[in-house]
Amino acid sequence: MDPTVPMSLPRTADEPLVSVLDVEGPNGSVGMTGNPPDVTLLTDCANASPSITSPCTSPQRHQNKENTPLLARSDHDLTVCAISNTFPDDQQYTNLITQAEVAIEHAIYPERIPQGSSGSYFVKSVDGKIIGVFKPKDEEPYGLLNPKWTKWMQKSCCPCCFGRDCLILNQGYLSEAGASLVDQKLKLNVVPKTKVVRLASETFNYSAIDRAKSRTKRNITEKFPQIGRRFHRLGLPPKAGSFQLFVDGYKDAEFWLRKFESEPLPPAIQKTFQLKFERVVVLDYIIRNTDRGNDNWLIKYKKPEVDEAQSQTTPNSDWNLVEGPEIQIAAIDNGLAFPFKHPDEWRTYPYHWAWLPQSRLPFSKEIKDLVLPPLLDMNFVQSLCDDLYELFKTDKGFDKNAFHKQMSVMRGQILNLTQALRDSKSPLQLVQMPVVTVERRRKTYGKSRARADSDDTLTQRFSTRSPFFSWC
């Protein structure tokens, strides 16, 4: 919790909860006499103390609103308040989020990114340097507060071509964080670290009601500090979303892939690039990423450069004159992954890397040694599902049955991947394998699940439906 946010003072059980409109002083001005009761805006009941019960905070009503996101209010009141910006096991990441919060307090606001189909923002530090990308839940393509009017037009005029029927709506921010979790568990190191945080900024897209309430609270606090101290929160409501660390010096893969066609990489760097490319393949296939084009994975290539200073000091030396080349890959934009079924309606959503020449080479021994042992361990796979469960259940609209289907798809992907690795297939041959789901009879997940499930069974099912378009 942000220590700078004023908290309301304790209120006894017999003290009434009143609206600021009912508290008037002389000449109709807002004021209080005697011992003031706790004051809050009645329209802000969704953000009131958890101990106060109201129709706005009914779990059943939240569930209904989450199932109809296009008609619902903003989603910042639909997310479990337990989301914290403190990560005890990752102090460096916590410090970075603190920098972002301090920068916002100093009016260095996040900047909206014009590209993409949802509201996403470059978050800066106090010195104005971009440190991360924040994607709020309620500004996703199906969110009520999506600021991209072109997507609103597409959704209104051509709904059959909008969205993906195999994905759960408004969970892109969890997909971003989930992809980072899978990346870290398998030690792939291709996804910039991503976690779910809560941020508030003037530049985010808020409803008129939220902005009006924020202005009203600020004005009351400035004129009547005694009343303002009793507000549960001042300012705009924080938004839950994914925060991904910013990677500097990278360009779209499309740019470098075209460059490599005319300027081939040195053999050693080509091998390094192939190994990192295979890591992206493993990640995308496991999480069944439905949106991996060449514009949403990045490459950083540092060409070899002659060290002029050393060349002058040792003119006869052929060694150490060139700084070694370096190539890195970053898999970003993972918000359209973790489907609850394989695409079987209109589109296939293929992996665009399958058309690259790198996908025709068999998987290397290095990638087999890295991912095959853990993926063949059913305890590791189940622990991966448990960790994803702990992450996904933080969403107020979490559906355990839908999550069970998501994990069934992921287990099927892992089954195909392990078979392809053992058979020394290529990424292209991997994506041509029949799609399968592996359903687990017991639907228990999380840290409380018993480690030994002797009566648990897994059922393998092949998909019998194919999308209408197989090429897109």
Side-chain angles (χ1 to χ4, degrees):
M1 182 176 294
D2 190 347
T4 62
V5 178
M7 298 298 295
S8 61
L9 299 177
R11 179 170 61 90
T12 60
D14 56 346
E15 284 182 329
L17 183 66
V18 299
S19 166
V20 295
L21 299 180
D22 297 331
V23 184
E24 294 188 358
N27 302 324
S29 61
V30 179
M32 298 192 69
T33 59
N35 296 326
D38 192 8
V39 178
T40 185
L41 291 178
L42 296 182
T43 55
D44 199 21
C45 59
N47 300 309
S49 172
S51 62
I52 301 175
T53 304
S54 70
C56 296
T57 57
S58 168
Q60 182 63 35
R61 182 168 179 176
H62 280 314
Q63 181 69 25
N64 294 339
K65 289 192 293 183
E66 186 67 22
N67 291 336
T68 56
L70 297 182
L71 303 177
R73 286 176 32 188
S74 59
D75 286 337
H76 57 72
D77 63 333
L78 299 178
T79 305
V80 175
C81 297
I83 295 176
S84 171
N85 289 350
T86 302
F87 304 92
D89 58 340
D90 195 341
Q91 191 58 43
Q92 185 178 3
Y93 190 91
T94 300
N95 294 339
L96 199 70
I97 301 301
T98 302
Q99 293 181 33
E101 294 173 330
V102 172
I104 293 175
E105 290 176 0
H106 288 78
I108 304 175
Y109 298 121
E111 177 184 350
R112 184 182 297 167
I113 303 173
Q115 295 86 3
S117 59
S118 61
S120 54
Y121 301 83
F122 285 131
V123 181
K124 303 178 182 179
S125 61
V126 177
D127 57 4
K129 180 181 178 182
I130 299 176
I131 59 175
V133 176
F134 182 65
K135 298 181 179 181
K137 168 186 169 68
D138 60 7
E139 297 187 33
E140 292 184 9
Y142 269 103
L144 181 68
L145 297 178
N146 181 6
K148 302 296 178 64
W149 68 270
T150 53
K151 285 298 173 181
W152 178 85
M153 288 289 294
Q154 181 183 359
K155 179 173 60 179
S156 302
C157 302
C158 192
C160 62
C161 300
F162 185 83
R164 288 161 166 75
D165 62 292
C166 57
L167 298 177
I168 300 176
L169 302 181
N170 293 344
Q171 286 196 1
Y173 76 113
L174 294 177
S175 178
E176 294 274 4
S180 179
L181 190 154
V182 174
D183 174 81
Q184 294 177 42
K185 291 273 289 185
L186 288 173
K187 301 179 181 179
L188 299 174
N189 300 324
V190 292
V191 178
K193 187 174 293 185
T194 310
K195 296 181 183 293
V196 176
V197 303
R198 292 171 65 88
L199 294 176
S201 171
E202 292 284 346
T203 53
F204 295 162
N205 194 30
Y206 286 97
S207 65
I209 294 178
D210 283 333
R211 292 191 181 275
K213 288 192 295 185
S214 176
R215 288 193 300 268
T216 302
K217 289 181 179 181
R218 184 173 62 248
N219 293 335
I220 292 176
T221 303
E222 292 174 354
K223 296 181 180 180
F224 308 100
Q226 188 179 11
I227 300 178
R229 286 197 301 269
R230 298 180 179 271
F231 286 131
H232 175 67
R233 183 196 66 250
L234 296 178
L236 294 166
K239 293 191 174 196
S242 62
F243 186 96
Q244 185 174 88
L245 301 187
F246 182 73
V247 289
D248 195 17
Y250 286 73
K251 293 185 178 180
D252 290 349
E254 183 69 26
F255 171 84
W256 282 115
L257 292 173
R258 292 184 180 276
K259 198 82 169 177
F260 296 156
E261 291 178 359
S262 57
E263 301 176 12
L265 293 170
I269 296 301
Q270 179 61 45
K271 181 179 179 180
T272 302
F273 177 68
Q274 180 68 28
L275 296 178
K276 295 183 179 298
F277 169 79
E278 291 175 358
R279 296 186 179 207
V280 176
V281 170
V282 169
L283 172 75
D284 281 349
Y285 195 80
I286 289 178
I287 67 176
R288 187 43 181 108
N289 197 335
T290 66
D291 187 36
R292 180 62 77 207
N294 291 335
D295 58 343
N296 54 18
W297 60 287
L298 309 176
I299 298 176
K300 180 180 181 181
Y301 178 50
K302 181 181 178 182
K303 296 182 179 181
E305 298 179 357
V306 178
D307 190 340
E308 297 293 344
Q310 191 172 6
S311 177
Q312 294 176 2
T313 57
T314 56
N316 296 326
S317 175
D318 293 332
W319 303 95
N320 300 323
L321 297 182
V322 177
E323 294 183 359
E326 178 185 358
I327 192 165
Q328 299 289 341
I329 289 180
I332 62 171
D333 288 345
N334 303 298
L336 298 176
F338 297 100
F340 63 89
K341 66 174 183 176
H342 289 285
D344 58 4
E345 296 290 340
W346 289 100
R347 298 171 57 190
T348 309
Y349 308 113
Y351 311 95
H352 285 255
W353 41 252
W355 285 283
L356 298 178
Q358 289 80 6
S359 68
R360 293 177 173 83
L361 300 178
F363 282 105
S364 63
K365 182 179 182 299
E366 287 81 356
I367 197 67
K368 294 179 185 178
D369 294 340
L370 178 65
V371 303
L372 199 51
L375 293 182
L376 290 175
D377 183 359
M378 293 307 298
N379 289 327
F380 174 86
V381 175
Q382 186 56 46
S383 71
L384 178 61
C385 296
D386 292 342
D387 290 342
L388 289 171
Y389 173 81
E390 296 296 331
L391 170 65
F392 280 45
K393 76 175 184 179
T394 59
D395 188 83
K396 191 66 176 180
F398 175 73
D399 186 333
K400 192 171 182 178
N401 289 328
F403 177 80
H404 180 70
K405 294 179 181 179
Q406 290 175 295
M407 295 301 98
S408 298
V409 172
M410 190 179 76
R411 287 194 190 92
Q413 296 292 96
I414 291 176
L415 178 64
N416 274 354
L417 177 61
T418 54
Q419 187 63 43
L421 291 173
R422 287 186 292 188
D423 294 344
S424 298
K425 292 186 177 182
S426 66
L428 177 60
Q429 292 172 319
L430 169 64
V431 300
Q432 293 172 344
M433 297 176 67
V435 294
V436 61
T437 59
V438 178
E439 300 176 3
R440 183 168 173 260
R441 190 180 68 84
R442 294 174 62 94
K443 299 182 180 181
T444 54
Y445 299 94
K447 297 178 181 178
S448 60
R449 180 187 62 85
R451 290 289 107 182
D453 292 332
S454 57
D455 59 341
D456 195 11
T457 57
L458 298 175
T459 304
Q460 176 178 320
R461 301 180 187 277
F462 289 91
S463 178
T464 58
R465 295 184 58 182
S466 298
F468 186 80
F469 298 105
S470 61
W471 49 271
C472 66

